[in-house]
Amino acid sequence: MVVKDFQMGYNVSNDDREGLGAAIMELRRTIYDELVKWKEKNTGRVLEVEGARQVGKTYILRKFARENFSHVIYISMADVSGNQFIQCLDKAEEWEPGMPRKEETIHQALQLYDSEFTDDKNTVILIDEIQESSRVYNLIRVLARNFDCYVIVTGSYLGRLLDKEFFLPAGDLDSLTMETLTFEEFADAFGKGELYRHISLYGQSDREAYQELHKYYDIYQRIGGYPAVVNTYLETESLEECESVLWRLMSLFVNESKRYFTEIVDVDVFEKLFNGIAITMIREKLGVRDLVEEISKIVYQSESGRITKKMMNHAISWLQASHIIGYAAKAVDCDFLNIKENSRFYFLDMGIAHYFLSQTGVEDDVMKGILAENFVYLAIRRHLKKDIAGSEPWFGYYEKTKGELDFFVRSKRNHKNYGVEVKSTDAQAKTARALYAAGKLDKLYYLKGESYGGIAEDENVVTVPLYLADRIRFE
């Protein structure tokens, strides 16, 4: 079992880390366009870029910096450049009683670090793995308010910033989150991006085009979107090789995460969580009363006495902050004012979801349905903060039928309610129909794996191919 292997302790060498990073080829990432927009807005705030380990943050940020600024200062707080910058800060801040008080010490530190530093709009400072230094992170307010140049900070384990020594300068930060490759970006990697962007959602394109995209969706739901994994498939077309890279990525994440856990029992809990989350996803269809209690029963026998709810919350929160898992909330009777938060888990990468679900031994058809829901969850999650309500995606529960709707969406643009029913086959959803008939939904989408799309007899009941979920607009 995977959990047993984690307990044995997979040691990730420097060669492993470099190999995973080196696998990243020139993949088109849509976040690049967001970075350009941020530069053009010129808000004066520091940009914080979040994202899981190995999603390509450093690569894309250095590419953006090179192509959009005449001078780039790169500092990684996880390697020698970070140590050198700290030495420059120490030197700039040297002071003895009786000496004049120094001002602009950060400017002086940057000039010591890079003699060509000029504080103007042609310069960008990129600080990587900033969670390694509370001292540097706490300079963000000064960097935002006293500098003319652009500043970007990033890190894979920004959940550590919840520690009390980190001051959170919310008003001085813009933020972006970088995911693993979306299906659109995945299609681009295989030369199918234009096909994805222009194929009809409603069955008006050639059937061969839908079949072609479906073939790539089948690969995507198996290997996911970590750049190193995608490049491995591009080079080898081997699902087994991709699974090996996924295992190395998760082992790297586990071993690095141990540095931030102070109690050995926390580490023990953490290493077993992945399998427990996968089992919870299989068992739970209507939302358990207490997710933490449920997963605790899976990870440990309740009579063991080795675990507390605080420990489990700590480990789960770390997975969430590290962009490995996400939550969904339950909307009772599809009422946007009756929301039960944190009622379901999902993985934030399809390859990771497939990897750990497959370890449970679940039947293929059950796993296919769960993966389809996970895929749509990620698509809906990308709408948050932009055009739909909620802090996390919602699924619906209908008291009248005691059944569920896969996803319930409340548009912030037109204040209409949308139902999304995910089916990897052509089976009809009774609860979705009942909610629509009762007027609780203004529009209902069926997302089906084998469909070419189409509009039913009612124009507000629409079928869309599952793999085009990201192209649905709730307007």
Side-chain angles (χ1 to χ4, degrees), residues 17 24 48-59 61 74 76-78 127-133 137 153-161 176-178 226 249-250 252-254 256-257 259-260 270 317-325 348:
R17 290 183 175 87
I24 299 174
E48 182 179 76
V49 179
E50 296 186 74
R53 190 79 166 93
Q54 297 289 336
V55 298
K57 297 186 300 296
T58 300
Y59 177 86
L61 288 173
Y74 176 78
S76 173
M77 301 313 302
I127 306 176
D128 205 354
E129 302 297 349
I130 196 169
Q131 80 280 348
E132 295 299 321
S133 173
Y137 190 87
V153 301
T154 186
S156 300
Y157 301 113
L158 295 180
R160 190 188 180 195
L161 304 183
L176 287 174
T177 300
M178 188 172 184
Y226 277 97
L249 285 167
M250 286 296 96
L252 174 61
F253 169 74
V254 167
E256 290 185 338
S257 294
R259 298 168 50 219
Y260 305 109
F270 176 73
S317 296
W318 181 253
L319 289 180
Q320 184 183 26
S322 300
H323 300 270
I324 301 297
I325 64 170
L348 298 189

Side-chain angles (χ1 to χ4, degrees), residues 15-16 24 63 88 130 139 141 222 257 266 268 329 369 386-387 396 445 458:
D15 288 341
D16 288 325
I24 299 174
K63 173 182 168 66
C88 294
I130 196 169
L139 295 175
R141 173 169 289 183
R222 175 73 184 268
S257 294
D266 281 336
D268 198 24
K386 294 189 294 185
D387 53 9
Y445 284 103
D458 184 334

Side-chain angles (χ1 to χ4, degrees), residues 174-233:
D174 293 322
S175 63
L176 287 174
T177 300
M178 188 172 184
E179 307 172 63
T180 61
L181 271 74
T182 65
F183 184 57
E184 178 183 357
E185 293 170 327
F186 185 86
D188 264 316
F190 292 86
K192 305 297 178 181
E194 289 304 306
L195 175 61
Y196 172 87
R197 286 184 282 275
H198 294 103
I199 194 170
S200 169
L201 267 67
Y202 308 118
Q204 298 165 340
S205 299
D206 294 335
R207 292 202 165 190
E208 292 77 8
Y210 294 103
Q211 293 165 357
E212 181 78 357
L213 278 181
H214 193 284
K215 179 179 70 176
Y216 285 100
Y217 167 74
D218 286 342
I219 300 169
Y220 180 74
Q221 75 162 359
R222 175 73 184 268
I223 71 172
Y226 277 97
V229 180
V230 174
N231 279 308
T232 296
Y233 189 84

Side-chain angles (χ1 to χ4, degrees), residues 82-98:
N83 292 331
Q84 291 170 344
F85 181 62
I86 292 293
Q87 291 178 44
C88 294
L89 275 175
D90 289 340
K91 184 69 175 176
E93 293 174 356
E94 283 181 356
W95 180 83
E96 293 181 2

